Amino acid sequence: MRQQKRRVGIRATAYLFTFVVILYVAVFMNTPYIVYQPGSASEVAPMIKVENADPEEQGTFMMTTVSASYANVALLVASVFNSNAEVVLKETRLQDKTEQEYAAEQVFYMNSSQSYAVQAAYHAAKVPYEDIVDYLYVFSVPDSTNQGQFKPGDKIISVKGQHAADPAALSALLSAYKIGDTVEVVLQRGGKEISEQVKLVEVKDKETSAGRPGFGVVIGAVQKVQPKEEGKGVSFVDTNVGGPSAGLMFTMEIYNRLTPGDLTKGHRVAGTGTIDAEGNVGAIGGVKHKIVAADRKGAEFFFVPVKNYEEAKAKADQIGTDMKLIPVSTLSDALKYMEEQPVIKS
């Protein structure tokens, strides 16, 4: 009897151990893959604030996203049965970046796309503006000396109590010190300001290859667009997504609020595409997933960059959507199309 109980106990322990191993492998063990799927189609109106905005908007402009997940075994298995899932090698997406560096880069691209969207909308609405550097942004920390002080995604607020307006100003400020000196740097990380004591390291000047004191980080400048007319300011709330592909839809929403009338005409309008200050629309990735996301949210129209049209059309035909695809190469193309649409009366 005692031997039988012992066998049962051993068997139960073996089952439990096997279950734990399977659970770990399926859920917690990393794989070298990423799974792309349709993300969301989200209204951009709540993401943008425009001073003295024209309130007339019966329809909606929507940005579209791609869901990208670092895959565990369970997700890989599930993707086999999902016709909208796409599995790719992680290195295809990250290339030579870490996950943290890639995420920081995507945040930078989103912030830049917002600045370009404001510029393009001001230009189209004939609002004079000026473009200035808002802050310096850390992409990566290749020098191991300061990897404990800087993280990808940090904003550089001040150095020794002085604001560095742009990369050139930062270099000029640091030139007053020597390699090996320690300076106080105030950073913003995760919405909180922190102070770090940073040792200056030797960095090579791109033009002369001469050594000079620096942080040993890769930085970029995030632009801020200011109207020259009072009461025309534009600001963004946290969009909680990365990348530059919402530029076109941000621009259309801003333009709609800066100008009289309702550009949506009561329609549900989705789309994708980068934007530059002159209003040129650029190609993006993952358009087939964005088509599915927009269709699920009942979009009537989908603006797509000309270079992405064929891929978008193939996916639209595959899922049998009634959504109309409009290829565009400029903001003017998109504005003209909406201006020609009939008004839906509620």
Side-chain angles (χ1 to χ4, degrees):
M1 188 70 172
R2 186 180 300 172
Q3 189 175 7
Q4 185 177 0
K5 288 183 178 180
R6 186 179 178 184
R7 287 175 181 169
V8 171
I10 292 173
R11 190 176 301 150
T13 302
Y15 286 154
L16 179 61
F17 177 77
T18 302
F19 173 76
V20 170
V21 170
I22 292 173
L23 181 65
Y24 171 79
V25 170
V27 179
F28 298 105
M29 191 174 77
N30 292 325
T31 72
Y33 297 100
I34 292 175
V35 175
Y36 291 106
Q37 301 181 70
S40 62
S42 305
E43 296 184 17
V44 297
M47 305 175 188
I48 303 171
K49 294 181 180 179
V50 179
E51 294 178 350
N52 302 309
D54 185 308
E56 195 175 348
E57 187 169 284
Q58 299 302 313
T60 183
F61 289 116
M62 295 180 285
M63 60 176 283
T64 49
T65 65
V66 177
S67 171
S69 304
Y70 295 109
N72 55 24
V73 174
L75 184 56
L76 285 177
V77 172
S79 67
V80 174
F81 304 97
N82 183 353
S83 61
N84 291 317
E86 178 185 11
V87 179
V88 300
L89 281 169
K90 189 185 296 185
E91 64 184 28
T92 303
R93 171 177 169 141
L94 300 181
Q95 298 181 356
D96 59 347
K97 306 178 189 72
T98 67
E99 292 179 17
Q100 292 75 24
E101 289 170 346
Y102 180 83
E105 183 180 72
Q106 294 306 299
V107 171
F108 177 84
Y109 287 151
M110 170 56 77
N111 291 337
S112 296
S113 77
Q114 292 172 354
S115 295
Y116 285 134
V118 176
Q119 291 180 65
Y122 279 160
H123 182 76
K126 296 180 171 52
V127 176
Y129 66 90
E130 59 181 349
D131 189 22
I132 61 174
V133 175
D134 191 13
Y135 57 85
L136 299 179
Y137 186 85
V138 177
F139 282 105
S140 63
V141 193
D143 194 299
S144 60
T145 304
N146 290 324
Q147 286 181 348
Q149 284 70 41
F150 291 99
K151 303 294 181 187
D154 284 350
K155 298 179 183 179
I156 300 176
I157 306 301
S158 66
V159 179
K160 293 285 283 189
Q162 299 182 59
H163 174 65
D166 53 46
L170 177 62
S171 294
L173 194 160
L174 296 181
S175 67
Y177 301 93
K178 294 182 294 186
I179 295 169
D181 286 350
T182 299
V183 297
E184 181 187 30
V185 181
V186 176
L187 305 168
Q188 187 179 98
R189 181 182 300 159
K192 297 180 181 179
E193 286 195 1
I194 60 174
S195 178
E196 295 284 0
Q197 297 298 318
V198 177
K199 184 177 180 179
L200 298 181
V201 300
E202 182 181 20
V203 297
K204 298 291 186 181
D205 189 280
K206 289 184 178 180
E207 296 180 359
T208 65
S209 296
R212 56 180 174 80
F215 293 148
V217 300
V218 178
I219 61 172
V222 176
Q223 303 298 115
K224 182 178 182 180
V225 185
Q226 292 183 331
K228 294 182 178 179
E229 296 179 9
E230 289 189 9
K232 296 289 187 180
V234 178
S235 59
F236 288 81
V237 300
D238 187 7
T239 55
N240 201 33
V241 293
S245 64
L248 173 61
M249 303 315 293
F250 283 152
T251 306
M252 296 185 74
E253 178 65 35
I254 296 167
Y255 177 85
N256 192 28
R257 295 205 216 166
L258 289 171
T259 56
D262 181 11
L263 187 66
T264 72
K265 305 293 183 69
H267 297 278
R268 293 180 62 79
V269 185
T272 188
T274 64
I275 199 81
D276 66 15
E278 287 72 42
N280 297 304
V281 177
I284 51 83
V287 70
K288 60 186 177 183
H289 301 299
K290 295 177 180 183
I291 289 292
V292 176
D295 179 63
R296 288 173 176 173
K297 281 298 183 76
E300 301 167 63
F301 306 130
F302 189 96
F303 287 108
V304 59
V306 169
K307 291 184 178 179
N308 295 121
Y309 179 74
E310 292 302 324
E311 181 184 356
K313 179 71 164 55
K315 189 64 178 180
D317 290 343
Q318 180 188 344
I319 65 175
T321 181
D322 293 328
M323 180 173 63
K324 185 172 182 179
L325 271 58
I326 305 99
V328 294
S329 57
T330 66
L331 172 64
S332 296
D333 294 340
L335 296 181
K336 184 175 184 293
Y337 184 86
M338 290 308 303
E339 287 164 355
E340 294 173 348
Q341 297 311 302
V343 176
I344 295 180
K345 297 181 178 180
S346 55

